[in-house]
């Protein structure tokens, strides 16, 4: 059955899809989004937003526990999980209402249903064929499962973890990536005994190993058990919880097992391979302007190999829309995508790790500034440090190519760090800029001063 025609036809209404739709509409193009569930996708409804709401509750728990240290007579007596979910869902609902109004205000048509690519210009939804001059694939990702590990009430993924009606007394988190680390941190703040099991040598394996070491020490001080280079052999639900057996013979009993081993692209069963779309391990291969192997078809967000982050999806969507409109946008550089793990303490980074900088430039110089010397961090009673990576040896004035930070609230510093790395600034370029006192931004400024050879509040 024939349906409507648009200049841009988008399959998926998550961050990448709706960003593409909004930018295309701004450029005067007609746009249709096909969405199987709700606008906003995983990020808004089952990912970034609800997870960070839970983490904010966990932060408040930590503050209540530590009230006496700040002169506040407070006592933690537990988490009202129903009220937590009411708060979390109210945040989602407000953002969803705003997003639907924004999309509608731009004249973008939204078609509900599961879509399937029929050809380079056609998507089928419930028997209706919608056509577009350009088609954008933005179907997002789903939580990965492990063959042979049965999911249920005691073995869950992040989808179920976001809506648990209790705080586990004991929990095993399988996977030391961002998702696993954030849930481990939140549950530990709320009183759970948490064990993180990671098969690789470090948690947060994509970060600079320095960050991983800093966070591991901080987690262990909080009573969180970190097991690295630990492979899962078997996980079995029991009458009261779950038993997790490791390949080295260790066995862990817990109330709950969270399987947090990454996210898989949603590309199966939607007609991509049938229409010649090149895939790599399920991900859609694109050029820097988000074009796929088929003319007129673009792909954005989590289905494109690289960091699976909502803000990367936003930028992909903008790049795709502007390319379709005949502009020449600046492509997304994955190493310039800021990364934040919203744990306690946070980890935030942008640019190259020290090892990657050595590999790319032949040499790298680093400076680490301890937050112990930062007044605002002392006020907040947080510990951590900032590591800045510069291209070239100690006697070379190369650009800043990486910034890596560990400490509470350091995610709020990532914007300045991204600009520094993105503009390939020299430390001597940044050093003269003033930072408000007392603020954590000063710590980033102090690191730049030290790298420029003129440290202030630091031993040198």
């Amino acid at each position: 059955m024939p349906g409507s025609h648009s200049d841009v036809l988008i399959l998926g209404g998550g961050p990448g899809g709706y960003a593409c739709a909004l930018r295309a509409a701004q450029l005067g193009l007609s746009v249709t989004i096909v969405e199987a569930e709700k606008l906003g996708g995983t990020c808004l409804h089952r990912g970034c937003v609800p997870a960070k709401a839970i983490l904010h509750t966990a932060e408040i728990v930590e503050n209540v526990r530590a009230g006496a240290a700040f002169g506040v007579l407070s006592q933690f007596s537990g988490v009202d999980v129903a009220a937590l979910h009411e708060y979390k869902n109210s945040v989602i609902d407000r953002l969803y209402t705003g997003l639907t109004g924004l999309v509608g205000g731009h004249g973008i048509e939204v078609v509900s249903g599961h879509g399937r690519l029929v050809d380079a210009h056609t998507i089928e939804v419930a028997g209706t064929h919608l056509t577009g001059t350009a088609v954008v694939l933005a179907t997002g990702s789903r939580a990965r499962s492990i063959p042979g590990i049965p999911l249920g009430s005691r073995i869950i993924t992040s989808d179920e973890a976001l809506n648990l009606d209790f705080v586990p007394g004991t929990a095993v988190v399988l996977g030391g990536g961002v998702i696993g680390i954030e849930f481990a941190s939140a549950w530990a703040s709320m009183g759970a005994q948490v064990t993180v099991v990671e098969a690789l040598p470090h948690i947060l394996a994509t970060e600079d190993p320095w960050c991983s070491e800093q966070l591991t020490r901080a987690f262990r001080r909080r009573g969180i058990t970190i097991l690295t280079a630990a492979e899962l052999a078997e996980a079995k639900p029991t009458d009261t919880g779950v038993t997790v057996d490791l390949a080295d013979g260790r066995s862990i009993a817990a109330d709950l097992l969270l399987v947090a081993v990454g996210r898989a692209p949603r590309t199966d069963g939607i007609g991509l391979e049938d229409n010649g779309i090149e895939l790599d391990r399920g991900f859609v291969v694109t050029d820097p302007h988000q074009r796929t192997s088929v003319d007129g078809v673009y792909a954005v967000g989590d289905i494109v190999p690289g960091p699976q982050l909502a803000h990367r999806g936003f930028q992909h969507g903008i790049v795709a829309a502007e390319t379709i409109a005949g502009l020449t946008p600046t492509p997304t550089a994955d190493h310039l995508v800021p990364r934040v793990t919203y744990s306690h303490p946070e980890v935030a980074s942008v640019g190259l790790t020290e090892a990657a900088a050595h590999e790319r430039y032949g040499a790298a110089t680093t400076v680490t500034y301890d937050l112990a010397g930062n007044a605002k961090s002392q006020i907040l009673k947080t510990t951590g440090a900032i590591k800045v990576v510069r291209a070239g040896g100690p006697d070379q004035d190369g650009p800043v190519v990486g910034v890596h930070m560990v400490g509470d609230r350091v995610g709020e510093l990532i914007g300045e760090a991204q600009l520094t790395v993105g503009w390939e600034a020299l430390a001597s370029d940044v050093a003269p800029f003033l930072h408000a006192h007392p603020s954590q931004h000063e710590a980033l400024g102090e690191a730049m001063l030290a790298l420029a050879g003129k440290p202030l509040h630091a031993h040198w």
Side-chain angles (χ1 to χ4, degrees), residues 98-157:
L99 176 59
T100 53
L102 187 62
V103 167
H106 279 78
I108 297 165
E109 182 184 4
V110 179
V111 176
S112 297
H114 287 273
R116 185 178 187 280
L117 190 68
V118 174
D119 59 43
H121 301 286
T122 309
I123 291 175
E124 180 185 5
V125 186
T128 299
H129 285 195
L130 306 174
T131 59
T133 304
V135 169
V136 180
L137 306 172
T139 47
S141 61
R142 56 177 172 76
R144 289 187 185 274
S145 57
I146 299 176
I149 303 299
L151 298 177
S153 61
R154 294 293 180 172
I155 302 177
I156 63 174
T157 70

Side-chain angles (χ1 to χ4, degrees), residues 362-386:
T365 303
T366 67
V367 159
T368 301
Y369 181 80
D370 198 308
L371 293 184
N374 176 253
K376 187 58 179 286
S377 296
Q378 287 296 306
I379 291 167
L380 295 172
K381 289 189 175 291
T382 186
T383 58
I386 293 175

Side-chain angles (χ1 to χ4, degrees), residues 116-122 270-278 292-294 297:
R116 185 178 187 280
L117 190 68
V118 174
D119 59 43
H121 301 286
T122 309
I270 57 173
L272 302 192
E273 289 180 294
D274 295 341
N275 287 283
I277 303 293
E278 182 183 355
T292 71
S293 56
V294 174
V297 180

Side-chain angles (χ1 to χ4, degrees), residues 186-200:
W187 286 341
S189 293
M190 295 178 190
Q193 293 293 315
V194 181
T195 299
V196 177
V197 177
E198 171 56 57
L200 296 173

Side-chain angles (χ1 to χ4, degrees), residues 8 10-27 29 31-33 35 39-41 99 102-103 106 108 136-138 300-301 309-324 332:
V8 184
I10 303 170
L11 182 57
Y18 79 70
C20 181
L22 291 171
R23 184 62 182 132
Q26 289 169 359
L27 293 170
L29 302 176
V31 184
T32 298
I33 297 175
E35 171 54 50
L39 283 176
L99 176 59
L102 187 62
V103 167
H106 279 78
I108 297 165
V136 180
L137 306 172
V300 301
L309 297 167
H311 43 287
R312 177 176 177 260
F314 292 146
Q315 188 63 17
H316 278 182
I318 293 168
V319 169
E322 293 184 352
T323 302
I324 292 166
T332 307

